[in-house]
Structures are given as structure tokens and as C-alpha cells.
């Protein structure tokens, strides 16, 4: 009871302070920092989901039993390039894919319904081409959407598409580093959580806001971000719309242009 109430109070007090919903000006600042640090334009954050190990919840059947053959719930997170969590969704069934978790989350619904107060489309740096929407970056577990970019399928890729995958992966690594910092500082996440389900969820939510609180004041040890024990959720084949595919193709062309290329990108692929 003490653990559950304490974690709930930590979340209730810190959430509006260190994980408040970004406004349009905040999104523009996040995108600017992303481009400076990760060289990915019009990027608002990196998104990923990880399994949090738990003991089997009573009466849950196989809902929390994941493809790795252990019980878990999912921590879905959206991170900025400063390794802070901007949105989290905690508690979805371990058997769910990232795309399904996103679709049922409050963030996913706001993204689909254009309720995130995102900035209007903006031309890519150094170009006069048509304005491009601001996007989040994720791995192949997510559906391609107007505001969510995923890599190309790895089979038979052209050089340009391989460069796009490299540039997207480079930007997406910030969420992996964020999970690494989180797990290596709050070490109860290294092992299965032996608490009731609602208490375990409260503890993970508290750790995420404490992560932001400490990140803003104490920084982090870079080595702590290089590895973590959290496993990705099960990938699920999903298709995107024609418009979202056009946005990805436009970004691909930009990364191969004089305005958008990186000197080392061809060696990196």
C-alpha cells in the first residue's frame, strides 16, 4: 500500500511539471534540437515500446504472456533528443504489438485526430520545396503515417533508401538511450517486478517522471545509455497510406541532396 500510494503521489506531483503536454512552441524547439543533434529535419520525437517483466497477474490468462515467453506489460514512450520522455503509456498487454499499443494509447488517438497541437508543415532546411509535415520516428513495428516515419523494408533497397534507414535509425537511437538511462538508474527494472499489477504500473510511471526530473538537474552518464535489459515488443506488418509514403520519399531525396546529406552517410550504410 505504501509503495503504491507513494508512486502515485510522485506521478501526480511531477507529471504536470516534467512531462506536461507540449504546445506548438515546445514542438518547434524539440524539432530544432533534433535537427542539430541528430540531423533529422522536422522531427518531434522518437517512439518505441519495451516489455516490463512482471509476475503473472492473477486471472490474466495469456494476455500478458509475450512472444519472448515471459509475462510483461508494455512501456510505450516518446522521447526528445535530450533523452526526456514527452509521453508515456504504461500497462498494455505484453502480447500486443507496438502498433496496437500506439493505436489504443491516448497519444496515438491524439496523433490520429490531430489533437497534439503540432506545428504546420514547414519546408526542409535549405530548400524551397513544398512544406513537409512534422513527424515522429519509429522502427518497423509501427505503421507508416503522415506524422510517423518508419524504415523501409530491408529487402532490395537502393542506396538512397539505405541512407534513409540509417538517418532514421540515428534519430531513433535517442529513445533507446532514454530507456538505457532509465533502467540503469532505476534498477528494479532489471528484474521481474514482484508487485501487484497496478502497483507495478504505478512504480514504472513514477520512475519515468523521476527520470525526467533527474535528467533536467543531474544529467546522465553516457555509458549508462549504451545498454539495457528491456526487450522490444513483437513487430507487426503494417502498411502506410500513399501520402505518408510520399512524405518518406521526399525525406529520402532530401538526405541525398546537397542540403541534406551527411559527409559520412555512404560509409555508414
Amino acid at each position: 500500500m505504501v509503495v503504491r500510494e507513494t508512486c502515485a503521489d510522485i506521478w501526480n506531483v511531477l507529471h504536470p511539471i516534467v512531462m506536461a503536454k507540449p504546445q506548438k512552441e515546445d514542438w518547434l524547439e524539440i524539432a530544432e534540437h533534433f535537427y542539430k543533434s541528430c540531423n533529422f529535419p522536422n522531427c518531434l520525437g522518437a517512439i518505441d515500446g519495451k516489455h516490463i517483466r512482471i509476475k503473472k497477474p492473477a486471472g490474466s490468462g495469456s494476455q500478458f504472456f509475450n512472444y519472448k515467453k515471459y509475462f510483461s506489460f508494455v512501456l510505450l514512450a516518446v522521447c526528445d533528443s535530450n533523452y526526456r520522455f514527452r509521453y508515456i503509456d504504461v500497462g498494455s498487454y505484453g502480447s500486443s504489438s507496438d502498433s496496437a499499443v500506439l493505436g489504443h494509447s491516448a497519444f496515438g488517438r491524439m496523433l490520429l485526430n490531430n489533437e497534439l497541437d503540432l506545428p504546420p508543415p514547414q519546408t526542409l532546411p535549405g530548400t524551397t520545396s513544398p512544406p513537409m509535415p512534422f513527424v515522429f520516428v519509429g522502427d518497423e513495428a509501427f505503421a507508416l503515417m503522415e506524422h510517423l516515419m518508419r524504415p523501409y523494408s530491408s529487402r532490395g533497397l537502393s542506396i538512397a533508401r539505405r541512407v534513409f534507414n540509417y538517418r532514421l535509425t540515428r534519430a531513433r537511437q535517442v529513445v533507446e538511450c532514454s530507456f538505457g538511462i532509465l533502467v540503469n538508474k532505476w534498477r528494479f527494472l532489471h528484474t521481474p517486478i514482484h508487485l501487484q499489477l497496478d502497483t507495478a504500473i504505478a512504480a514504472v510511471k513514477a520512475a519515468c517522471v523521476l527520470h525526467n526530473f533527474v535528467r533536467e538537474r543531474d544529467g546522465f552518464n553516457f555509458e549508462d545509455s549504451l545498454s539495457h535489459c528491456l526487450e522490444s515488443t513483437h513487430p507487426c506488418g503494417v502498411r502506410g497510406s500513399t501520402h505518408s509514403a510520399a512524405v518518406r520519399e521526399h525525406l529520402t531525396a532530401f538526405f541525398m541532396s546537397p542540403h541534406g546529406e551527411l559527409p559520412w552517410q555512404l560509409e555508414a550504410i
Side-chain angles (χ1 to χ4, degrees):
M1 182 68 72
V2 171
V3 172
R4 182 166 63 249
E5 290 182 353
T6 302
C7 289
D9 285 344
I10 290 171
W11 168 263
N12 291 333
V13 171
L14 290 183
H15 179 254
I17 299 172
V18 300
M19 206 184 291
K21 179 182 178 182
Q23 303 302 311
K24 191 170 298 182
E25 295 76 16
D26 301 317
W27 288 126
L28 287 171
E29 184 179 347
I30 291 171
E32 180 181 2
H33 199 280
F34 240 108
Y35 187 58
K36 288 180 179 178
S37 61
C38 301
N39 306 113
F40 202 103
N42 289 21
C43 184
L44 302 176
I47 184 170
D48 199 9
K50 296 295 183 183
H51 288 290
I52 305 297
R53 289 174 177 262
I54 55 172
K55 67 177 183 179
K56 180 183 177 181
S60 64
S62 62
Q63 292 172 320
F64 291 93
F65 194 65
N66 65 47
Y67 76 110
K68 290 288 187 177
K69 309 302 181 185
Y70 61 81
F71 292 95
S72 67
F73 59 74
V74 176
L75 165 60
L76 183 78
V78 179
C79 297
D80 64 22
S81 60
N82 204 27
Y83 309 106
R84 291 176 297 186
F85 296 116
R86 292 295 181 161
Y87 279 95
I88 61 170
D89 182 86
V90 188
S92 293
Y93 298 136
S95 58
S96 301
S97 67
D98 275 350
S99 191
V101 173
L102 176 64
H104 290 96
S105 69
F107 174 80
R109 291 192 296 270
M110 288 189 290
L111 181 63
L112 289 172
N113 296 327
N114 294 317
E115 297 173 350
L116 287 174
D117 195 25
L118 301 183
Q122 180 174 291
T123 56
L124 299 180
T127 72
T128 57
S129 57
M132 301 300 296
F134 284 83
V135 299
F136 298 90
V137 293
D139 61 18
E140 59 275 3
F142 294 97
L144 182 66
M145 299 162 54
E146 178 183 7
H147 297 292
L148 178 55
M149 294 290 103
R150 57 167 281 173
Y152 290 101
S153 174
S154 59
R155 289 174 293 183
L157 291 180
S158 64
I159 291 177
R161 291 188 172 189
R162 288 166 60 194
V163 167
F164 174 87
N165 283 2
Y166 163 71
R167 298 286 291 270
L168 183 141
T169 300
R170 192 165 177 269
R172 201 187 65 81
Q173 282 180 340
V174 300
V175 70
E176 294 288 349
C177 288
S178 300
F179 284 129
I181 299 165
L182 174 75
V183 170
N184 289 311
K185 187 172 285 289
W186 313 105
R187 291 183 174 268
F188 75 98
L189 295 169
H190 274 285
T191 58
I193 304 175
H194 290 277
L195 297 170
Q196 292 183 358
L197 180 61
D198 57 346
T199 308
I201 290 173
V204 172
K205 292 169 67 176
C208 289
V209 290
L210 285 170
H211 164 92
N212 281 11
F213 184 86
V214 172
R215 178 72 191 99
E216 293 176 3
R217 291 159 176 80
D218 189 37
F220 68 99
N221 181 346
F222 180 72
E223 292 182 355
D224 283 346
S225 70
L226 296 179
S227 63
H228 58 76
C229 60
L230 303 183
E231 295 187 275
S232 297
T233 55
H234 185 55
C236 181
V238 282
R239 292 182 178 273
S241 67
T242 303
H243 175 63
S244 56
V247 172
R248 185 168 63 176
E249 289 290 346
H250 197 94
L251 285 167
T252 301
F254 173 75
F255 292 147
M256 297 298 291
S257 73
H259 297 294
E261 67 180 354
L262 297 176
W264 65 85
Q265 64 187 23
L266 294 181
E267 288 75 16
I269 63 173

